Amino acid sequence: SGIYYGKINAYTVFDIHLGYEINKYLKMNFTVNNLLDHKHTEIIGGPSLGRIIMLRLETKFNKNMKFVGLVMKKISRTKQI
């Protein structure tokens, strides 16, 4: 019930995740969500989603502290439906 009520069609998306440990202090992860750029909606009233590419770098200063930086770039445009 509520404002976001309705049917959402079934969809399939493919994601890929790659990770590499550069050294004991630095890790890198590369992710592509929705690899084939299938336009789909996850909630009624929400935008049509496309491909998203992310590169994440994580560094540790010692075993108790870590810093995570995230760079995200959206490749396809979203469209309100």
Side-chain angles (χ1 to χ4, degrees):
S1 69
I3 186 172
Y4 299 111
Y5 182 78
K7 182 180 178 189
I8 294 179
N9 295 325
Y11 59 89
T12 302
V13 294
F14 296 96
D15 301 335
I16 187 168
H17 307 279
L18 302 169
Y20 182 71
E21 187 172 315
I22 298 167
N23 58 42
K24 67 180 184 177
Y25 298 107
L26 188 61
K27 294 179 185 176
M28 180 173 57
N29 294 300
F30 179 73
T31 301
V32 180
N33 293 327
N34 195 1
L35 185 65
L36 302 177
D37 200 22
H38 172 73
K39 302 292 187 222
H40 66 284
T41 301
E42 294 183 358
I43 61 169
I44 297 297
S48 176
L49 301 175
R51 181 182 305 126
I52 298 174
I53 297 176
M54 293 179 277
L55 177 64
R56 176 182 170 153
L57 296 173
E58 180 180 319
T59 185
K60 292 192 286 186
F61 298 106
N62 63 40
K63 65 181 181 179
N64 298 321
M65 295 176 54
K66 71 179 179 181
F67 172 77
V68 176
L70 178 65
V71 177
M72 187 163 104
K73 181 176 183 183
K74 196 173 287 189
I75 297 299
S76 356
R77 295 181 184 190
T78 59
K79 184 164 117 181
Q80 188 74 28
I81 59 170

